[in-house]
Amino acid sequence: MENPMPILLIPGFVCSPRYFAPVVPSLWRFGPVTVANHIRDDNMGAIARRILAEAPPRFALAGHSMGGYIAFEIMRQAPERVAKLALMNTQARADTPEATTRRRGMIERARCGEYRAVLDELFAGFVHPSRRDDAALRQLCYDMGEDVGAENFVRQQTAMIGRIDSRPSLAWIKCPTLVLSCDTDNTIPNALSKEMADGIHGAKLVILDNCGHLPQVERPEATAAALVEWLRS
C-alpha cells in the first residue's frame, strides 16, 4: 500500500497486547502496528505523554475501553498527530461516584492478595453471557491480568478514577472517527457509544451483535472488518 499509516493500538483496563492479536493480521498491511504500553503511570496525562513520546509523528489511533480514555487525552495533548480515531467499547464520561467506590474496593483487594479473585469477578462482566463458560477466553483474561500485574492494575484504576469528562471536547474531534460497541456490553453500555458518536462530527457508529465488552477476542472477524473499513476511510 502506498503511504502506509502507522497504527497505534491502546488496550483496555487489565488488558495486554494479547488482546489485539486476533485483529492485527488484518491491520498490518495498512501500516506498521504498535501496541502502546499503558501500565506505567497512574494518571491519564502522564500515560498519554509517555505514549506520545514513543509514538510515530502521525498515526491512526484505536483505543479500547480504558484505551479510549487515554485516546481522549492524546487528542487533547496532540490532536495534530492523530490522522484517524477509533473508540471501542469506551465512553466520554468521567467516573461516577459508584464506579469510583467499586474501583477503590478492587484496589484494596488487589493489594491484599485477592488479585486473581478480582480478575475472576471482572471476567463475568467483560464477556457476553454465552461466553462465561468459555475456558479459553477466561484463561486469556487471566493471562492478560498476569501480564499487567497487581501493582499496575492499581495504577490503572487510579488513573481511571482521576480522568476528566471528555464530552465537552467531542466537538473538537475532526479526524475520521469510528465508534464501535457491542449489543451486550455490560461494562460500558452502548448507549454511551451512541452519545460519543452523536457528539463527534461525521463519526461512524458500529454496534456488533452477540458480543460483550471484548469484541477483539469475542468477535474478531467482525471487529477486524470494522477497523479495516475505518482505515480505508
Side-chain angles (χ1 to χ4, degrees):
M1 171 172 277
E2 294 184 6
N3 302 315
M5 172 63 65
I7 302 161
L8 180 63
L9 307 175
I10 309 180
F13 164 57
V14 81
C15 289
S16 72
R18 299 174 195 256
Y19 179 66
F20 287 110
V23 301
V24 166
S26 297
L27 307 182
W28 70 270
R29 67 182 182 273
F30 294 93
V33 179
T34 302
V35 179
N37 184 334
H38 65 334
I39 65 174
R40 296 169 291 181
D41 300 284
D42 65 0
N43 70 87
M44 291 295 170
I47 294 170
R49 283 191 293 273
R50 200 191 294 252
I51 289 173
L52 281 165
E54 298 169 349
R58 190 163 165 81
F59 48 87
L61 175 63
H64 170 260
S65 192
M66 179 188 176
Y69 308 155
I70 299 166
F72 281 128
E73 183 60 33
I74 286 173
M75 293 298 296
R76 281 188 285 272
Q77 293 186 18
E80 72 284 354
R81 293 179 61 183
V82 181
K84 299 174 186 285
L85 177 65
L87 300 165
M88 301 176 288
N89 299 82
T90 191
Q91 62 174 315
R93 299 186 178 202
D95 232 26
T96 64
E98 295 79 11
T100 293
T101 296
R102 288 195 300 273
R103 293 190 198 285
R104 293 195 189 284
M106 286 189 280
I107 286 172
E108 184 61 26
R109 291 178 64 196
R111 285 173 168 163
C112 291
E114 296 182 43
Y115 183 49
R116 175 72 175 231
V118 171
L119 294 177
D120 200 45
E121 292 170 14
L122 285 169
F123 176 78
F126 279 168
V127 298
H128 188 275
S130 67
R131 306 295 295 274
R132 287 176 183 166
D133 294 325
D134 186 323
L137 197 52
R138 184 180 291 271
Q139 186 61 50
L140 172 65
C141 289
Y142 286 149
D143 290 343
M144 291 195 296
E146 289 303 311
D147 293 340
V148 172
E151 181 179 344
N152 296 320
F153 171 94
V154 170
R155 288 196 183 104
Q156 290 188 326
Q157 292 280 33
T158 303
M160 289 189 289
I161 288 170
R163 75 183 189 275
I164 67 171
D165 190 336
S166 293
R167 286 176 293 175
S169 60
L170 293 177
W172 305 343
I173 298 173
K174 304 300 182 184
C175 61
T177 300
L178 166 68
V179 177
L180 185 144
S181 185
C182 304
D183 65 345
T184 318
D185 187 338
N186 293 316
T187 298
I188 301 179
N190 60 51
L192 299 177
S193 292
K194 295 175 183 177
E195 178 180 71
M196 290 189 300
D198 288 343
I200 300 171
H201 179 71
K204 179 175 181 180
L205 176 65
V206 173
I207 299 179
L208 304 183
D209 58 5
N210 299 313
C211 189
H213 187 60
L214 306 177
Q216 281 83 344
V217 293
E218 292 184 67
R219 295 211 51 203
E221 292 181 3
T223 303
L227 290 170
V228 165
E229 184 177 347
W230 164 68
L231 288 168
R232 286 176 172 159
S233 65

